[in-house]
Amino acid sequence: MKTIKAAIVGASGYSGQELIYLLSRHANVEITHLTSRQYAGKTVGEVFPRLQGLVGGMFVEPNADKIDTDVAFLALPHGVAVEYAPALLRKGIKVLDLSADFRLKSAETYKEFYEHEHPAPDLLKQSVYGLPELHRDKIRGAQLVACPGCYPTSIILGVAPALKKGLGKPDSIIANSLSGVSGAGRKVAEEYLFTECNESARAYGVPKHRHIGEIEQELSLLAGSSVTISFTPHLIPLNRGIISTIYMTLAKKSDDVLAVYRDFYKAELFVRVSASLPDTKNVQMTNFCDISVRVDSRTNRLVVVTAIDNLTKGAAGQAVQCLNIMYDYAEPIGIV
């Protein structure tokens, strides 16, 4: 089977580091280009001692003109990935973007949530939302894959069976999510210092977190009508992991909602439906999304709980899963 050459642009962040680790174990991928403005000229082992001996090579300054690979992962902040994607696509390089630059199909919605015009609106029509459980066929033939955010992954996978099977009312969705600090990225900011985060929990991005746009976009596709949700994210003193609790008013009775969820995801390797409520420790450093569901007959609500690792199923692991689909590799390669 052909070995493909991969570039990771923005390889020194948390998602970039995770990509280096996963791709270094991939039997069909050779990492040939790693960029980092901060660490240009340093080796991978110098910057990330845990990767010493797994990956050779040196970080270089980011420059799309100097990238000559089969595929490029853009592990860059929102608003920066769009500076590289057009040039890479013109060169015939497949792009997997881990930022939010190409997740929304509407330039107007993008402006609403990110508060500036989209620099390349034509590419929004070309991009494919990289959630394999819902868009596998489109991912297979894609040149530009917009990998979902970690919060959207945990919520969309939790709600999808209820909407598709008519269990929950689309106009009643409330989601509360708790995320580890790595979800904010590898940056120095006062609110993410250890003494600020440790032994503390706080809500943020209320009432209009920027990920709401892509969540509502995907849930509207599932429901076949416009969906508006209430979403509150929280920061908790955890390195990595997200747990989401989602509430929906029941649309119809079901004798066994757990069976509905199990049937919906029966062919999905990376979604585990269980009677036990999920725990972030059981998904840490894996590409699994653990899901459980309950009916609250007292309030006539469906309660769904999901857990993922924000750096794997919520970022790098999901991107590698998409890569495997694009190149017709077995989906677990490099991930498990």
Side-chain angles (χ1 to χ4, degrees):
M1 193 171 287
K2 178 188 175 184
T3 297
I4 60 172
K5 294 181 179 180
I8 304 174
V9 183
S12 60
Y14 288 133
S15 295
Q17 180 183 0
E18 200 72 12
L19 278 169
I20 295 172
Y21 174 68
L22 294 175
L23 293 175
S24 71
R25 306 185 307 160
H26 198 298
N28 304 112
V29 174
E30 179 187 2
I31 303 172
T32 60
H33 199 101
L34 296 167
T35 83
S36 169
R37 285 194 175 94
Q38 183 178 2
Y39 297 112
K42 292 182 180 257
T43 66
V44 173
E46 285 179 280
V47 178
F48 300 127
R50 71 183 279 250
L51 299 177
Q52 191 168 0
L54 290 178
V55 182
M58 189 173 289
F59 291 105
V60 298
E61 290 280 353
N63 186 333
D65 292 337
K66 294 184 178 180
I67 297 175
D68 183 19
T69 57
D70 299 296
V71 63
F73 293 84
L74 305 183
L76 296 164
H78 309 317
V80 180
V82 71
E83 298 176 10
Y84 295 88
L88 295 171
L89 290 166
R90 284 194 296 268
K91 295 170 72 171
I93 297 171
K94 293 179 186 291
V95 173
L96 292 111
D97 177 28
L98 279 70
S99 83
D101 284 358
F102 301 104
R103 294 174 189 162
L104 292 167
K105 306 307 289 184
S106 163
E108 290 75 21
T109 305
Y110 179 92
K111 183 179 180 181
E112 177 187 352
F113 284 94
Y114 291 92
E115 299 180 343
H116 62 86
E117 299 285 349
H118 196 284
D122 289 345
L123 288 181
L124 297 180
K125 301 171 186 176
Q126 179 182 338
S127 67
V128 173
Y129 195 74
L131 193 58
E133 291 77 13
L134 299 183
H135 300 299
R136 184 172 280 105
D137 290 341
K138 289 183 179 179
I139 293 168
R140 188 167 284 116
Q143 289 295 119
L144 172 59
V145 172
C147 300
C150 45
Y151 283 131
T153 296
S154 70
I155 294 168
I156 295 166
L157 290 178
V159 174
L163 287 184
K164 289 294 285 184
K165 300 299 181 180
L167 291 178
K169 294 184 177 180
D171 61 354
S172 69
I173 302 170
I174 299 172
N176 292 312
S177 300
L178 296 87
S179 172
V181 183
S182 62
R186 194 171 185 239
K187 60 188 175 186
V188 178
E190 183 178 324
E191 62 265 37
Y192 304 125
L193 295 174
F194 178 81
T195 49
E196 302 295 330
C197 297
N198 189 44
E199 298 184 15
S200 180
R202 62 176 180 265
Y204 67 99
V206 181
K208 196 175 179 182
H209 188 276
R210 61 191 181 185
H211 282 169
I212 289 176
E214 64 181 279
I215 297 170
E216 291 181 345
Q217 169 184 279
E218 295 302 305
L219 296 187
S220 296
L221 289 173
L222 287 162
S225 60
S226 181
V227 171
T228 302
I229 72 165
S230 293
F231 168 55
T232 305
H234 301 75
L235 185 71
I236 57 173
L238 194 70
N239 283 342
R240 52 197 296 168
I242 284 179
I243 191 158
S244 293
T245 304
I246 308 146
Y247 308 89
M248 302 177 70
T249 301
L250 280 167
K252 67 179 182 181
K253 292 188 181 296
S254 173
D255 293 334
D256 191 347
V257 293
L258 202 59
V260 173
Y261 269 67
R262 282 177 168 149
D263 182 68
F264 190 88
Y265 287 120
K266 63 185 177 184
E268 297 298 338
L269 173 65
F270 290 115
V271 179
R272 303 187 297 196
V273 179
S274 171
S276 302
L277 291 172
D279 191 318
T280 57
K281 70 181 179 183
N282 295 324
V283 295
Q284 191 176 63
M285 301 185 77
T286 79
N287 200 52
F288 292 113
C289 176
D290 283 359
I291 300 177
S292 194
V293 59
R294 300 283 192 276
V295 170
D296 184 348
S297 56
R298 190 178 62 86
T299 60
N300 195 41
R301 289 196 183 102
L302 195 68
V303 183
V304 186
V305 183
T306 70
I308 64 169
D309 185 312
N310 58 289
L311 296 180
T312 41
K313 187 57 175 169
Q318 186 145 261
V320 174
Q321 186 181 358
C322 288
L323 170 83
N324 289 336
I325 293 168
M326 293 165 77
Y327 283 91
D328 202 27
Y329 301 145
E331 288 185 35
I333 295 179
I335 306 173
V336 295

